[in-house]
């Protein structure tokens, strides 16, 4: 029977293929008596050596393929592998119990895991899966069986899993992995980031998916809509094949038509079209679509999926790599926006009752100068290698902007004292994503060089609709007159002060809103690379005088429905309605 399941679309595109169900059930571990504990210990040491070789290879491959950050998890595994306490306990148990080492190791790991899971601090709970990962690796060598992995898939498939560990994703057969679907996960999970960066359609957070799919069953993934269809009927497959063909054709046409140079409206007004990135590995995608710079580099992704804070040096390397690759185009480095839906156990950014209103972004940074200052140092140092701009998230008042700027000045003074080069003209901007910042945009405009409106958060805060709660997703409404008035207020303040004002929330990548946003006075749009060609084409079809009139008309409307009807009529009139992004899920 056909079943349609919903999750979070984290990488757009449609794929229809057989499912490869990746179940990580652990193998049966034998138990038998032994004569010689020494012999067992030798077997154990040999298996540990072999596991060390595997991990060292994985570190190398991952560093080369994806960058050092992604390899860090395997360094952590290497440390666990050589944990003296574990080795000592294995030895003691072998002597005391006189059982085979597989049985001893398995029992030990399970006991440790249970104890770690019971601890409140999630850092310990996260380490449980690392411990089991390492134990499985050693057991695999002892038992001469290969741990289930995704290294080489027998045929092109959609990988269906409950959850994928960093080891699983990093060693995945990229050629044959056509799509990804998981029971758990969020847009910020390691596998989601990877899928997006590699343009593999993916849906995560599809509850109970892996228990509904039989191996080899044909499934459809619509990464734009966040839909997974299991046991699809012929008519459904037909329908999706059509949608897939249209999506691919449109993508190819848009890419081939993408010109270099700035985006221009039909009447010649230049609008900066830039990309949002999370990790340096996404740079090629931005270059491919001729982005005119990076409008938002979410640097907090460097801090996720790992057990420690990246050093100033590592950050400097990452930021300068992006600055160099894009030079002379601008790269906007946003200071870490940790908290909210991005929890980081090793920084004690843990669950809170109201995480979106909690300890996040600059609030966190101001409380943790030990993390904030090295990041600012790394950003300033990177500014010597390209056109770097620094941007602060979640600014809610003038004091806060002054506070973060004061820290930046202290860091500048340190660099001056040490004769470290950096761009003394580096531009400093404020994100406008909190309603209070909108109301005082005129005051903030006097104290920074540019604005970037974060509509993702601005919509959530102004409409009081949690952006990650699917139950109220229908209330998350970019076209709400309240939101439009806020955007208008911010652009007016920016124009009055002569500073540029862009948008880097998802609204910037939805062609339905392009004409309206331009009419409201937005001068740059930053979005994920995959949608940029569509927005460029959209801009080319817009005339500024008409856009201004659309903005005036929309600002006079009472409901989001009226606004959207107007915008749909406008796109129809310009003939740019297209289903390429019909449901890239940009509404929230
Ligand atoms: C936003 O809030 O619109 C934004 C771009 O930032 P983030 O999505 O990272 O919160
Ligand atoms: Mg935000």
């Amino acid at each position: 029977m056909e079943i349609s399941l919903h999750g979070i679309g984290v990488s757009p595109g449609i794929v229809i293929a057989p499912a490869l169900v990746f179940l990580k059930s652990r193998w049966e571990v034998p138990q038998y008596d032994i004569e010689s504990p020494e012999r067992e210990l030798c077997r154990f040491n040999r298996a540990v050596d072999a596991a060390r070789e595997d991990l060292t290879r994985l570190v190398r491959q991952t560093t080369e393929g994806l960058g050092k950050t992604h390899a860090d998890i395997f360094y952590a595994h290497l440390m666990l592998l050589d944990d003296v306490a574990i080795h000592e306990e294995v030895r003691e148990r072998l002597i005391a119990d006189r059982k085979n080492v597989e049985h001893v190791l398995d029992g030990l790991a399970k006991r440790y895991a249970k104890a770690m899971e019971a601890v409140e601090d999630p850092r310990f709970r996260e380490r449980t899966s690392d411990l089991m990962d390492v134990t499985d690796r050693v057991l695999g060598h002892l038992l001469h069986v290969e741990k289930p992995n995704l290294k080489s898939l027998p045929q092109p498939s959609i990988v269906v899993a409950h959850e994928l560990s960093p080891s699983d994703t990093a060693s995945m057969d990229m050629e044959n992995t056509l799509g990804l679907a998981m029971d758990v996960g969020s847009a910020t999970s390691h596998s989601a980031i990877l899928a997006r960066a590699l343009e593999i359609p993916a849906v995560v957070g599809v509850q109970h998916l892996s228990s509904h799919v039989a191996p080899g069953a044909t499934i459809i993934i619509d990464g734009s809509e966040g839909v997974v269809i299991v046991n699809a009927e012929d008519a459904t497959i037909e329908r999706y094949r059509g949608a897939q063909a249209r999506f691919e054709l449109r993508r190819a046409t848009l890419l081939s038509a993408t010109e270099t140079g700035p985006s221009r409206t039909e009447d010649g007004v230049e609008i900066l079209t830039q990309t949002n990135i999370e990790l340096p590995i996404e740079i090629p995608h931005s270059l491919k679509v001729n982005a005119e710079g990076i409008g938002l580099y979410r640097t907090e992704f460097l801090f996720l999926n790992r057990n420690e804070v990246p050093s100033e040096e590592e950050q400097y390397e990452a930021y300068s790599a992006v600055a160099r690759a894009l030079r002379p185009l601008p790269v906007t480095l946003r200071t870490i926006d940790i908290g909210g839906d991005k929890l980081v156990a090793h920084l004690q950014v843990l669950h809170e009752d109201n995480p979106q209103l909690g300890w996040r972004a600059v609030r966190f940074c101001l409380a943790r100068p030990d993390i904030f200052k090295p990041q600012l140092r790394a950003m300033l140092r990177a500014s010597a290698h390209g056109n770097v701009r620094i941007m602060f998230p979640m600014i809610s008042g003038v004091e806060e902007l002054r506070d973060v700027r004061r820290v930046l000045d202290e860091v500048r003074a340190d660099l001056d004292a040490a004769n470290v080069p950096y761009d003394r003209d580096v531009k400093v901007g404020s994100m406008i994503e909190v309603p209070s910042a909108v109301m005082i945009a005129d005051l903030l405009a006097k104290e920074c060089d540019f604005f970037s409106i974060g509509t993702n958060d601005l919509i959530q805060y102004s409409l009081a609709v949690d952006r990650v709660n699917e139950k109220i997703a229908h209330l998350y409404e970019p076209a709400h007159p309240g939101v439009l008035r806020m955007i208008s207020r911010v652009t007016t303040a920016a124009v009055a002060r002569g500073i540029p004002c862009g948008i880097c929330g998802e609204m910037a990548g939805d062609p339905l809103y392009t004409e309206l946003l331009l009419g409201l006075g937005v001068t740059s749009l930053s979005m994920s690379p995959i949608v940029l060609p569509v927005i460029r084409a959209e801009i080319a079809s817009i005339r500024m005088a008409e856009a201004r009139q659309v903005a005036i008309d929309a600002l006079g409307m009472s409901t989001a429905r009226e606004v959207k009807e107007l915008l749909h009529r406008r796109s129809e009139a310009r003939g740019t309605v297209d289903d390429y992004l019909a449901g890239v899920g940009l509404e929230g």
Side-chain angles (χ1 to χ4, degrees):
M1 195 184 62
E2 179 174 300
I3 317 171
S4 176
L5 299 164
H6 290 257
I8 310 162
V10 291
S11 183
I14 294 168
V15 58
I16 307 166
L20 185 132
V21 184
F22 183 62
L23 288 178
K24 282 210 295 181
S25 57
R26 301 181 71 236
W27 41 70
E28 286 293 303
V29 176
Q31 173 186 347
Y32 51 88
D33 296 332
I34 52 142
E35 295 287 322
S36 159
E38 288 73 29
R39 224 173 54 107
E40 288 300 287
L41 204 56
C42 281
R43 288 184 58 223
F44 177 64
N45 288 334
R46 273 202 304 275
V48 168
D49 288 345
R52 192 179 300 106
E53 268 175 42
D54 290 349
L55 285 167
T56 314
R57 199 176 47 248
L58 263 176
V59 165
R60 203 183 47 249
Q61 285 168 353
T62 313
T63 308
E64 282 166 8
L66 300 171
K68 190 176 165 304
T69 321
H70 289 263
D72 277 349
I73 191 76
F74 303 117
Y75 281 115
H77 286 195
L78 276 168
M79 281 170 71
L80 263 176
L81 189 68
D82 288 325
D83 189 298
V84 179
I86 297 179
H87 281 250
E88 191 49 32
E89 200 165 337
V90 166
R91 202 179 65 83
E92 282 169 11
R93 292 258 63 84
L94 284 173
I95 295 167
D97 300 349
R98 300 205 156 239
K99 295 282 181 205
N100 58 316
V101 69
E102 295 88 341
H103 173 71
V104 166
L105 178 65
D106 189 46
L108 195 82
K110 282 183 181 149
R111 226 170 347 100
Y112 270 38
K114 212 165 164 193
M116 279 152 95
E117 268 167 8
V119 178
E120 272 290 300
D121 187 338
R123 272 176 300 177
F124 283 92
R125 272 182 264 139
E126 270 175 22
R127 300 214 70 189
T128 314
S129 62
D130 291 335
L131 176 69
M132 294 322 279
D133 214 353
V134 174
T135 306
D136 280 353
R137 198 174 283 285
V138 178
L139 282 175
H141 285 290
L142 283 166
L143 297 165
H144 302 291
V145 285
E146 204 174 344
K147 187 174 179 275
N149 64 60
L150 295 165
K151 266 185 250 167
S152 77
L153 307 190
Q155 59 177 336
S157 313
I158 292 172
V159 172
V160 174
H162 174 67
E163 186 177 17
L164 294 176
S165 73
S167 315
D168 301 326
T169 36
S171 54
M172 202 153 65
D173 174 356
M174 291 301 173
E175 212 145 286
N176 283 319
T177 304
L178 302 182
L180 263 187
M182 293 175 4
D183 296 353
V184 297
S186 69
T188 61
S189 57
H190 193 92
S191 28
I193 297 169
L194 204 70
R196 220 175 10 249
L198 300 168
E199 299 184 4
I200 297 172
V203 183
V204 302
V206 194
Q207 283 183 20
H208 311 301
L209 169 71
S210 59
S211 54
H212 277 102
V213 182
T218 298
I219 63 170
I220 301 174
I221 284 196
D222 183 342
S224 312
E225 296 275 17
V227 171
V228 179
I229 298 174
V230 184
N231 305 328
E233 283 162 9
D234 289 350
T236 314
I237 295 182
E238 260 327 286
R239 191 155 49 79
Y240 272 94
R241 278 205 206 292
Q244 182 187 34
R246 284 194 298 279
F247 181 91
E248 296 304 340
L249 180 70
R250 190 74 188 125
R251 171 158 31 193
T253 318
L254 284 164
L255 266 182
S256 62
T258 297
E259 294 157 11
T260 51
S263 296
R264 279 205 183 82
T265 60
E266 201 189 281
D267 46 355
V269 178
E270 280 187 17
I271 302 293
L272 269 182
T273 42
Q274 303 180 314
T275 48
N276 295 349
I277 64 165
E278 280 79 36
L279 292 168
I281 50 164
E282 295 166 63
I283 297 170
H285 297 271
S286 295
L287 296 176
K288 190 170 77 180
V289 295
N290 289 319
E292 296 165 82
I294 307 291
L296 168 64
Y297 176 2
R298 292 183 165 102
T299 61
E300 60 273 12
F301 276 73
L302 213 54
F303 291 65
L304 305 180
N305 288 311
R306 57 193 294 168
N307 294 321
E308 76 298 313
V309 178
S311 65
E312 176 188 324
E313 224 37 49
E314 184 186 339
Q315 294 186 60
Y316 163 67
E317 271 166 35
Y319 308 152
S320 34
V322 182
R324 271 195 214 99
L326 270 293
R327 191 171 53 193
L329 298 167
V331 170
T332 313
L333 303 176
R334 180 177 74 177
T335 59
I336 46 173
D337 184 359
I338 267 163
D341 58 341
K342 299 180 203 118
L343 303 184
V344 185
H346 66 87
L347 293 176
Q348 283 87 46
V349 179
L350 309 175
H351 176 75
E352 296 177 337
D353 283 346
N354 287 306
Q356 302 290 359
L357 305 180
W359 198 42
R360 59 175 286 200
V362 286
R363 302 165 182 187
F364 167 83
C365 285
L366 286 169
R368 293 292 304 265
D370 57 318
I371 289 165
F372 195 28
K373 282 190 161 183
Q375 173 164 58
L376 292 173
R377 275 179 72 93
M379 287 181 168
L380 282 172
R381 287 173 57 202
S383 71
H385 303 288
N387 182 358
V388 164
R389 312 194 308 164
I390 297 178
M391 177 160 83
F392 297 106
M394 287 279 294
I395 293 291
S396 63
V398 171
E399 288 96 334
E400 213 163 28
L401 181 57
R402 286 186 188 156
D403 286 346
V404 290
R405 293 205 65 146
R406 193 172 310 119
V407 182
L408 183 65
D409 286 341
E410 285 166 19
V411 173
R412 278 184 216 247
D414 290 347
L415 293 180
D416 286 339
N419 266 328
V420 178
Y422 67 91
D423 173 8
R424 272 149 216 283
D425 281 332
V426 74
K427 299 279 179 280
V428 176
S430 169
M431 284 199 71
I432 303 290
E433 49 186 349
V434 178
S436 59
V438 173
M439 300 311 288
I440 56 157
D442 54 329
L443 304 176
L444 292 171
K446 290 185 199 153
E447 310 210 11
C448 64
D449 304 314
F450 64 93
F451 279 164
S452 186
I453 306 178
T455 45
N456 302 344
D457 277 314
L458 186 59
I459 296 168
Q460 102 162 326
Y461 295 128
S462 53
L463 303 184
V465 177
D466 185 340
R467 67 191 255 191
V468 294
N469 183 342
E470 68 276 4
K471 285 197 216 89
I472 46 172
H474 61 288
L475 299 174
Y476 188 92
E477 182 49 85
H480 192 293
V483 173
L484 304 188
R485 287 176 192 212
M486 289 209 180
I487 296 174
S488 170
R489 192 177 173 111
V490 179
T491 53
T492 306
V495 169
R497 192 73 202 171
I499 63 169
C501 177
I503 293 203
C504 62
E506 298 302 314
M507 202 174 170
D510 188 337
L512 184 65
Y513 297 107
T514 313
E515 187 179 36
L516 172 61
L517 294 177
L518 265 47
L520 285 171
V522 168
T523 52
S524 65
L525 296 168
S526 192
M527 62 210 84
S528 72
I530 204 152
V531 297
L532 193 138
V534 182
I535 301 297
R536 272 185 86 108
E538 195 69 20
I539 291 171
S541 75
I542 290 169
R543 301 184 67 82
M544 273 316 266
E546 291 172 18
R548 280 190 209 102
Q549 190 54 50
V550 167
I552 293 169
D553 293 346
L555 285 172
M557 290 174 168
S558 313
T559 66
R561 179 193 293 237
E562 282 171 74
V563 173
K564 284 198 286 195
E565 276 168 9
L566 166 69
L567 300 183
H568 281 294
R569 278 200 306 278
R570 291 291 308 158
S571 349
E572 267 163 40
R574 288 201 313 278
T576 53
V577 189
D578 101 40
D579 54 10
Y580 172 71
L581 295 171
V584 181
L586 297 173
E587 305 272 304

